[in-house]
Amino acid sequence: MGHVSKRLYSTASKAAVSASHLKQFPPREAVVRQGGRAIVFDPESWAALQPPPPSALTAFSHRIGLGSVIQSPDVIRRACTHKSFLNFHAKYYPSSPPPPSNADLSTLGNALMGLFASEHLHASYPHLPTRVLKAAISAHVGPLTCASVAQEMGAAPLLRWHRQPTTPTSPALLHSDALASIPRALTALVYQERSLASSRKFVHSFFLSRQVDLRAMLKFRDPKRALMETVAKFGRERPQSRLLKETGRFSNSPIFVVGIYSGADKLGEGFGSSLKMAEYRAAEDALHRLYLTRTPPHLLQLPSSTFDPQGNIYKSGPATDYTPGELGESEVLYASSGRSGIVAPKRPSIAELEARKDDL
């Protein structure tokens, strides 16, 4: 075996292309002759042009539990073909018809995944601030998560794409961007082949069943002031800070534990090396307890569960005891890291509020 054949064999093995699947190896289009001299073009480009074998596509569909839903390898091949591959294919095969891409399927699947994630998170956390809700949706079904799930599915060797540089009208296309289109296309295929309920179950199995730390997404510039307004909004007593425990007050490393109470109810608790830090953390903990209040799983009901089983949104499904969840209380304007661009009205400081209380 010559040097050219060895390189083509090694490149084809890295690209998950079986040599027995090819009609001729090396193929005639891989060798270009000029003046009686054989000039071989880049074997990596040739290997990237080859479609994955049907056996790999069938194994992939069974591995993710869609063997009975998607039985044709051509459908899986389309779901794994990014639209950036079309120009790359036309460059080397201008006379051949372009392969079908997953552009339309990816768009539809992205909309479905956003719908399922939005209703699930809003029903689970009714008091979650709007900006945090958007960040949580991106954390569950965003591009990076889709690319990570595609890697776990084993879809990376089946992806057909071509890297594109930055242009004045579009950003650069990276491998993770193309890889993220596969789970979206699969969601759309399940929706087309089965129903809306089946696609929702697919998204819940691979995406919404993951644990995401929502507590780290909640940041407050002034949690004590935010807590005061929140307590007043609910008609409760003004929050009071109480020192619960302390140690090493006169040492180099003191620890204070502060609790915030509204009447006899403790709203939150925090610790710190100073009273001010402990009070800050206690107010933040109280706000976290409010915003991260979760609906019990056995009481969770989704609006899309009332749709027709075939996905017709204009026709109601079977009669169920569906009760729409209550809308959560509106968030304070300057809560959640303060990057909304909303200009909050000027509010009196804590000292001014206390002065007014003394005047009364």
Side-chain angles (χ1 to χ4, degrees):
M1 182 183 297
H3 175 68
V4 174
S5 301
K6 289 183 179 179
R7 288 189 61 188
L8 291 176
Y9 267 114
S10 62
T11 306
S13 61
K14 294 179 182 179
V17 178
S18 175
S20 60
H21 175 64
L22 303 175
K23 298 180 180 180
Q24 179 183 356
F25 194 87
R28 286 178 292 180
E29 61 267 19
V31 180
V32 180
R33 298 184 178 275
Q34 294 182 356
R37 182 182 177 185
I39 302 176
V40 182
F41 78 101
D42 185 10
E44 295 182 359
S45 300
W46 169 82
L49 291 169
Q50 307 309 310
S55 58
L57 298 173
T58 304
F60 171 72
S61 63
H62 283 274
R63 184 165 58 248
I64 61 178
L66 299 181
S68 59
V69 179
I70 307 174
Q71 299 179 355
S72 175
D74 296 334
V75 178
I76 297 294
R77 184 181 293 112
R78 178 189 177 186
C80 297
T81 303
H82 193 260
K83 63 179 181 180
S84 60
F85 181 76
L86 301 183
N87 294 333
F88 183 63
H89 181 273
K91 178 180 178 181
Y92 290 94
Y93 302 100
S95 59
S96 300
S101 68
N102 63 4
D104 297 337
L105 293 175
S106 178
T107 303
L108 175 60
N110 187 38
L112 290 172
M113 293 170 68
L115 167 66
F116 299 145
S118 299
E119 67 171 5
H120 175 76
L121 292 174
H122 185 268
S124 300
Y125 302 94
H127 299 284
L128 205 62
T130 305
R131 279 165 283 168
V132 181
L133 179 62
K134 293 180 180 179
I137 293 174
S138 298
H140 279 89
V141 296
L144 295 180
T145 305
C146 289
S148 177
V149 171
Q151 288 276 8
E152 297 174 3
M153 290 178 174
L158 307 177
L159 176 64
R160 308 176 74 189
W161 74 295
H162 183 62
R163 188 183 302 274
Q164 294 179 352
T166 304
T167 62
T169 58
S170 62
L173 178 65
L174 304 179
H175 181 260
S176 59
D177 300 329
L179 196 61
S181 65
I182 296 181
R184 296 168 180 169
L186 292 175
T187 303
L189 286 175
V190 176
Y191 170 71
Q192 290 182 351
E193 297 292 333
R194 289 298 175 88
S195 63
L196 185 71
S198 299
S199 60
R200 184 178 64 245
K201 183 178 180 180
F202 176 80
V203 174
H204 276 254
S205 300
F206 283 94
F207 293 92
L208 300 181
S209 60
R210 297 168 175 260
Q211 298 295 328
V212 177
D213 185 14
L214 301 181
R215 191 181 183 91
M217 300 181 183
L218 285 166
K219 301 295 181 182
F220 304 93
R221 292 202 302 258
D222 192 346
K224 187 176 180 180
R225 174 181 291 184
L227 181 62
M228 290 177 59
E229 292 197 357
T230 303
V231 170
K233 181 173 58 178
F234 283 95
R236 302 291 298 274
E237 296 184 21
R238 187 173 183 270
Q240 299 290 336
S241 301
R242 300 176 187 175
L243 180 62
L244 302 180
K245 295 180 182 179
E246 66 169 300
T247 180
R249 178 184 285 265
F250 299 105
S251 65
N252 292 331
S253 56
I255 297 296
F256 301 93
V257 179
V258 173
I260 289 189
Y261 290 81
S262 176
D265 299 329
K266 185 171 73 170
L267 304 180
E269 183 178 315
F271 71 95
S273 58
S274 65
L275 290 173
K276 187 175 182 180
M277 180 186 297
E279 187 180 23
Y280 181 97
R281 290 177 175 173
E284 195 175 41
D285 180 61
L287 291 172
H288 285 165
R289 292 174 183 271
L290 168 64
Y291 287 132
L292 297 180
T293 300
R294 184 167 187 175
T295 304
H298 66 281
L299 298 179
L300 185 64
Q301 291 182 316
L302 302 176
S304 62
S305 62
T306 61
F307 292 168
D308 180 66
Q310 300 301 323
N312 185 2
I313 62 176
Y314 301 103
K315 181 180 179 182
S316 61
T320 57
D321 297 332
Y322 173 76
T323 303
E326 297 182 0
L327 294 178
E329 292 291 335
S330 60
E331 58 181 301
V332 290
L333 294 179
Y334 47 82
S336 176
S337 75
R339 290 193 296 267
S340 65
I342 300 177
V343 179
K346 185 178 180 181
R347 292 175 171 81
S349 62
I350 297 177
E352 294 174 352
L353 291 175
E354 294 178 351
R356 294 179 184 178
K357 182 179 179 181
D358 296 337
D359 294 340
L360 295 176

